[in-house]
Amino acid sequence: MSTTGHRAGVFKKPAKPHKSWKGKRTKGEITADNRGREGVKEITRSHSTHRAVSKDARRNQLKMARERKMADAMERRRTSNAPCLVTVVSLGVGARPSEFIKKLTTCDETIVQTTSPSTIDFAVSRFKSRISFLTPDKENVDAVLDAIRASDVLCFLWPLSAELSEWDEQLLTIIKAAGLPTIVSVVPGLGGIANHKKKEDVRKGIEFTISKWSMSSAGVLPADSVTDNLQLLRILNETKKKPLTLQSRHSYMLVENLECTDKKEETCTLVAQGYLRGPEWNANNLIHLPGFGDFQVSRIETAQDPHPLKTSGKPHETQVIATADDKRQSLETEITPDAMDGEQTWPTQEELEEADKEMRRVPKGTSSYQAAWILDDEDDDEDEDSDEDMDDEEDESAEEEDDEDGDEEMDLKSEAGETTASEMMFDDGIDEDINMAEVEKYRKERENAQWPDEVDTPMDQPARIRFQKYRGLKSFRTSTWDAKENLPLDYARIFQFANYKNTKKNVMSKIGGNDMDAGDSVISKKFNGAFASVFIENVPLAVLEAYKDTKNLVLFQLLPHEQKMSVLNMVLKKHPSCTVPITSEEQKFIFYVGFRQFEANAVFSSNTPGDKFKLERFMPAEKTFVATVYAPIIFNPATVLCFRQDDKGRQELVATGSVLDTNPDRIVLKRTVLSGHPYKINRRAVVVRYMFFNREDIEWFKPVELYTPSGRRGHIKEAVGTHGHMKCRFDQQLNAQDSVMLNLYKRVFPVWNYSLFNRNLNPSRFVERSRVESISLVNEDAMEE
């Protein structure tokens, strides 16, 4: 056996210079020797990269950010004097919310219960806190959504069977789409099950249902014994609150008392009392009253707290905590267009000479130029008669167009007063006549899915007249279309941001009283959560009558620019429960956008990248789309709910989504496809017929490119004869089964029919099917023990 070791060859690499055991210093030793001195490379290196900041420094920055957020949250919780708002919603055949709250009062003798028109308040001295409960009727969508918008915690009462009705499932969909605060799941009666195995099965079944709806929850809680109720009160009070985006951006108030002062003929000053919640209130910002619009605030004063934690014998002294000044927002919602604000068209010399030849009676001192613009009574009568004749001709032609062409104005509109075949099955055995218009609407939707945007060329009217507002595009993606071209008159009434993102950034930076120039209009942080009175000016007297029976009235303060009208784009998706074909023509929808509720017509377009978007004739069922309406400005993100009314006045959920942006320059193009059939095929040369029916139309549409469903491209070369045959040339040979297509485009705009929602809709049809009497699943004996 050889005792010699391995000998290094001539190609052995030398040791690396940073090897410390080879006599080289480590990086730490070099840094210690430098003692803070940095090299030129370290100084000149960009500080925006991660290399400029060490790992320890980045870890320290994240730690400081967490501590800062924690300190801000603790400060808000410590300075806020408002009680915790909890909305109680019972699902299925669970316990009644009123009975559930009544049982909670028996868990502690020190609880002081007070009531108001909207809430049931607990003053829990054991936890040094206050809790307010809201119990809206779950069949009233407006009441549930209003309560959740103002709540800190949403408490669901689940049934032991974990079975939900159709309305419960749709209600959960609406609540999720509108936004969820912190959720607490309670199962009354769970603790009363003696069998442990059965109890675990029930608990797992309910937790599976909760997970199926993708609602984060720490688990289900029983509410049967005194210990369970005390633990539940502690959780409701100390659980981490997750405010909605609407609550973190807008100051809001749950109104507990409404009064009217300074009455005039039709208006008054409305005094709304409640706890100031959300960011710091600004008296210069507007207040939104649901169903009536936006109003200005004159001042904000403190008021006597009706639900104190500890009663004191000292009389309350009213203190003005914020007053409006000359910087408060205006009530201007739209611009009044000037009809004369346009380019002046001057008459030509020939028109002036013809006007001089006409003899007409004019006032004394009128020049020849002025006389040319004065019409006689006979001329007026002739013009009116001619206008009436033209209107009659237009009406007759419109009726003929409706019979022959379903493109410009579809004769089968999606009307609100219709019921589907599936709804007829649930009627009480009553035979109803079949709605043929609805049957045709289903047929039109199937035809549009099979032959998208394809229409028939009219035979009694030239195509160049019928489609004179359309144009051809060489490429839908790359061809240019001026966004300011041929705008409707309604665009002169709206507002538009020069830079939407920059404006949103500036507005959001001033949320929470960070505006240093606001002065006395912003309340101090020490009044955050105080019970106060807000004086709203020039409110119609009908508001007090309308809100007399309303329990959950929530006021929201607007951000700057949110009272102004513009073009609002919303990304929506059709709800699976809506099986009726929906079109945007003459279909007025009810939109719940943030804290606003309004009615408006919408234009549907594709949700695709690019600068031009294709019009959707029917609401897509499987993919997202964009609905464009005239509406007040609102900054994204904001939730959107879309409803429609049926023939019985019932509200039906149509789609859900969120706000995309506020952009009037969004180009929505309506596509019309004209089709023809190959008559003779000679390699790449093809004679096409049935696309046009006269020679002039062929010459008019000659520049537009042709295509086939198989991907062939071509152009019109010349007309053949006088009956609409034309010679075309394609890039490849066609087969006999091909069709020849021609695309035309026209920009469309929404209809200006914005109106506030009256909030008087009947419940959904799902309520009528699944309306059951809620029963108590709470064992009375178990609750007493």
Side-chain angles (χ1 to χ4, degrees), residues 389-576:
D389 295 338
M390 292 178 63
D391 293 339
D392 295 338
E393 293 176 1
E394 291 177 359
D395 293 339
E396 294 176 0
S397 62
E399 293 176 359
E400 295 174 359
E401 289 175 8
D402 288 340
D403 295 335
E404 298 175 0
D405 183 14
D407 172 66
E408 186 68 20
E409 290 183 354
M410 301 180 64
D411 54 340
L412 301 171
K413 306 280 190 336
S414 175
E415 300 181 1
E418 299 171 358
T419 56
T420 64
S422 60
E423 294 179 37
M424 295 179 184
M425 298 173 59
F426 289 92
D427 292 336
D428 298 334
I430 301 177
D431 295 333
E432 296 183 2
D433 295 336
I434 299 177
N435 193 338
M436 297 306 298
E438 184 181 352
V439 176
E440 282 294 313
K441 188 167 56 176
Y442 279 94
R443 184 182 63 82
K444 285 290 184 180
E445 186 184 32
R446 289 194 300 269
E447 289 183 356
N448 183 73
Q450 188 173 4
W451 299 287
D453 305 324
E454 189 172 343
V455 300
D456 295 331
T457 307
M459 300 181 62
D460 60 340
Q461 184 182 16
R464 62 185 183 277
I465 302 300
R466 172 64 181 82
F467 304 110
Q468 60 185 346
K469 295 183 180 180
Y470 290 77
R471 69 178 71 173
L473 293 178
K474 184 174 181 59
S475 173
F476 185 84
R477 184 179 62 87
T478 60
S479 298
T480 59
W481 193 297
D482 189 3
K484 304 296 183 183
E485 178 186 1
N486 294 333
L487 297 178
L489 184 61
D490 291 334
Y491 265 53
R493 304 165 58 184
I494 65 174
F495 292 84
Q496 181 179 6
F497 295 123
N499 190 331
Y500 174 77
K501 292 184 178 180
N502 200 16
T503 304
K504 176 185 173 183
K505 181 179 178 181
N506 294 334
V507 170
M508 297 304 169
S509 64
K510 298 180 181 180
I511 294 177
N514 295 325
D515 189 2
M516 304 304 296
D517 299 331
D520 295 335
S521 62
V522 178
I523 67 171
S524 177
K525 288 187 178 181
K526 65 180 180 180
F527 295 106
N528 183 24
F531 193 84
S533 301
V534 179
F535 292 79
I536 309 173
E537 294 183 337
N538 299 325
V539 179
L541 294 175
V543 174
L544 195 62
E545 295 294 330
Y547 290 145
K548 183 180 296 182
D549 299 331
T550 302
K551 294 182 179 180
N552 302 328
L553 173 60
V554 184
L555 305 182
F556 280 91
Q557 273 207 319
L558 306 183
L559 296 177
H561 312 298
E562 284 194 336
Q563 81 278 13
K564 300 174 182 177
M565 295 290 293
S566 186
V567 177
L568 192 65
N569 301 311
M570 301 167 286
V571 180
L572 303 176
K573 187 174 183 181
K574 190 175 182 179
H575 193 262

Side-chain angles (χ1 to χ4, degrees), residues 155-188:
C155 179
F156 284 118
L157 302 181
W158 295 87
L160 291 174
S161 61
E163 295 180 358
L164 303 179
S165 62
E166 288 182 312
W167 172 241
D168 291 328
E169 293 181 352
Q170 191 171 43
L171 182 63
L172 285 177
T173 302
I174 294 173
I175 293 175
K176 284 190 61 179
L180 288 172
T182 303
I183 298 177
V184 174
S185 298
V186 182
V187 185

